[in-house]
Structure formats: C-alpha cells, structure tokens
Amino acid sequence: MKILIAVVSYNEKLNIGRTILDLQENNFGYDIVLIDNGSTDDTVNIARRMGVPVIAHCINTGSGASTVKSYFLYAQQNDYDIVCQFDGDGQHKADQLKGLIAPIIDGKADFVIGSRFINKIGFQSSWTRRIGIRLFSRIVSIISGLKITDITSGFKAYNQKAIKFFSRYYKSEIYDNSQLLLLCHHAGLRIMEVPTLMQERLYGQSEYNLYNSIIFPIKALISIFGTILQKSNLKEIQNGIKN
C-alpha cells in the first residue's frame, strides 16, 4: 500500500529535526510530508533541508486539528491508501507506526487511534490534562457506543474511505478531535483504538496552555453538539464513501 506520514507542527524547531530523523531511520516504505500550522520559527526550513515536502499554512489557525483537512487533501490528490498523523513535538515514535496501521492493512478498521492509556506505559500526560481526556473520551464513548480511551491522541491512521470522506464529502473545517471521531462514526467508518507508546516532549511547550485549557473544552462541546445535528446528513453519504 502507498502510505503517507503527515507530520503536524507549529513552532517545533527544537523537536522537528529529531522527529523527522526518527521517521527517516525507521522508514518501511512510507512518504513524509510536513503540515505546518503557521510557524514563525525555523521549523519549515529545517524540514525542507532534511528533504521533506512542506504544506505551510500562512497563519496559525489556533488548533492543530485544523491541519487535518490539509493532509487529507494532500493524500487524496496523491493517491495514498493510508495517511497517518504524526505530531512534530517528538512525542510519537516511528517504531509504533506498524502497529497503528496494522488494523487497516488487515481490513479491520478504517480509522485507527493510538492510545497511551490502554497499556498505560510511557508518557501519560499531566494529571490535569488527563482529567479532560477522560471526560471527553467518556462523552464520545457514550454517543458513539465505542470504547474510546484517548480522544485527544494525535497519533492516528486512516484508510482510503476516510481520506475520501474528508477530502471530497465533508466541506467544513475540523476544530476538535471529538468532532473528528464522531464524524467518522456517523459516516459509517469503522473505528478502533490500539495501544501505543508515547514519550514526553523534550523542548518547547504544548499548545494546551492555561487559556487553551479553558477554551478548548468549550469548543469541543460545541463541536460535539454540531456533529450530532449533522448525523442524518452524514449517513446519506455513506454509499458515496463505499463506492
């Protein structure tokens, strides 16, 4: 299969080189692209010097989730069978990618999430953020009927059905991970979590500062409500995805 690894970044000049090197050294036949969310530092230049193509947003859109549409469009235009999201902050490990995409290759899932909370090893995030993760994972689990443990995970893989859905049929932006999962669920995509190992970022700060820790949950609740309202429309396009 033709596989794309989409590295998502924003001002990660101290982490992006190590992240790309990890992907290049553990490459089992995939391509890499950097989806940059309006960095003002040297992130983009470092990636280009390392031979990685870059899709650069001209401004920061306020959330890493907004880069999702960019890599879906890139994957669709270049005929990829699988696209994986891989954060540029150094928390994800390239040697975990085979486990992430295995359910797609085996035909068991259309959308796979790497969860750090299944085996509970490696970096587990701060206790304050874990509270929010558990809360929204529970909300999404109740709505979807699925068991979701790591709703905010940026380590994801999608097959052609998901790529086709987001690049051709879903015309709105993506604001939140909860919205993304529920959109996939209501569109009839098979969703699965697999255990993964993550590591703590060495440099820089997460986008989840005090301000965003307050704003993101509010946006997430609005996104969840909006997705529920779109449920009937999403079911109408399931046949288009399957064909």
Side-chain angles (χ1 to χ4, degrees), residues 29-82:
Y30 51 73
D31 296 331
I32 306 169
V33 65
L34 181 76
I35 310 295
D36 185 77
N37 198 13
S39 289
T40 56
D41 64 7
D42 207 34
T43 300
V44 168
N45 292 329
I46 292 171
R48 286 174 173 156
R49 286 197 295 267
M50 298 182 74
V52 175
V54 176
I55 305 297
H57 289 195
C58 58
I59 59 171
N60 180 263
T61 53
S63 169
S66 61
T67 59
V68 169
K69 292 287 283 187
S70 295
Y71 66 67
F72 278 128
L73 286 168
Y74 185 91
Q76 173 72 18
Q77 291 172 355
N78 292 279
D79 298 319
Y80 283 98
D81 300 297
I82 297 173

Side-chain angles (χ1 to χ4, degrees), residues 198-229:
M198 296 187 188
Q199 53 195 4
E200 189 171 4
R201 65 158 60 230
L202 293 180
Y203 306 103
Q205 296 180 341
S206 169
E207 64 181 348
Y208 290 92
N209 53 32
L210 178 60
Y211 172 78
N212 286 332
S213 295
I214 297 171
I215 295 299
F216 280 6
I218 296 173
K219 288 183 176 180
L221 288 172
I222 294 172
S223 297
I224 289 172
F225 180 69
T227 306
I228 293 173
L229 294 179

